[in-house]
Amino acid sequence: MALPYPALLVITDRRQASMPLPRLLDRVFAAGCRWASVREKDLAPCERLDLVRQLRPIARHHGALLTVHGDLTAAVLCDGVHLGAGGDVAAARARLGPRALVGISRHHPEEGLGGADYATLSPIFETASKPGYGPALGPQALSRLPGALALGGITPANAAQVRAAGAAGLAVMGTVMRASDPGAVVRQLLAAWGD
């Protein structure tokens, strides 16, 4: 499946969010983002499913895609799934069908896409949101994994740099979640990415 346009993925983290996720995503989508993924891994499956049910109509209202991290049950209600580094892409496709967007996390460019539609490659820059994944890879790593979204420390100030290095798009969490005006940050990211 083709990536949403523009290729900006906003990943949720309600613990960092400056406001409730439904309001935050409404502002993010209104600002031009067309893709968000529900990452709330600490929620019980039934709670994550309830959250997806709250967020899905907001995404639909704006013509945006909603995916979920790692939860194939909740993903049935979404436009796809984002798998962890050891995720089974074939099993996800079998469960969700050929029209679902299937992504995977990567922390080394040599791991490849593994049959996924895209990968997030992280951390590109130092970031407080993804500690414990080793040193920053640097933007040059993006050239070694075509189809990768740059994740980790992505801001409006470095968005053009990662695009020039070969990123297929941007993936952000803390930069948008912690913003007092998440819509403004999305507009800045999109302007910096260009098109």
Side-chain angles (χ1 to χ4, degrees):
M1 181 175 180
L3 296 182
Y5 179 83
L8 170 62
L9 168 60
V10 171
I11 301 168
T12 72
D13 183 344
R14 72 192 189 290
R15 291 168 300 173
Q16 293 189 62
S18 61
M19 61 191 68
L21 287 179
R23 186 162 32 130
L24 189 147
L25 286 190
D26 186 55
R27 292 182 181 191
V28 160
F29 294 142
C33 177
R34 290 296 169 259
W35 182 15
S37 191
V38 178
R39 186 183 182 269
E40 314 300 322
K41 294 180 178 181
D42 63 315
L43 288 178
C46 61
E47 295 174 307
R48 190 167 38 252
L49 195 59
D50 286 344
L51 181 58
V52 164
R53 286 184 175 126
Q54 288 177 53
L55 299 177
R56 187 176 60 168
I58 297 166
R60 292 290 179 270
H61 173 75
H62 290 283
L65 297 185
L66 187 70
T67 56
V68 64
H69 272 57
D71 185 337
L72 291 179
T73 300
V76 170
L77 298 179
C78 296
D79 299 293
V81 68
H82 183 87
L83 303 171
D88 187 337
V89 172
R93 286 210 191 282
R95 175 86 184 267
L96 302 176
R99 296 181 61 199
L101 188 62
V102 178
I104 195 160
S105 293
R106 294 298 191 218
H107 303 292
H108 304 285
E110 293 73 23
E111 293 173 306
L113 293 181
D117 296 307
Y118 72 93
T120 55
L121 183 60
S122 69
I124 298 302
F125 300 105
E126 294 294 331
T127 175
S129 297
K130 292 188 67 83
Y133 287 96
L137 298 170
Q140 69 282 356
L142 292 158
S143 67
R144 302 195 320 267
L145 183 53
L149 305 183
L151 174 62
I154 304 303
T155 68
N158 60 32
Q161 181 184 1
V162 297
R163 184 174 191 178
L170 305 173
V172 294
M173 186 166 57
T175 299
V176 170
M177 290 294 116
R178 292 188 298 266
S180 59
D181 187 346
V185 174
V186 163
R187 286 188 293 273
Q188 291 165 9
L189 285 163
L190 294 175
W193 178 257
D195 261 339

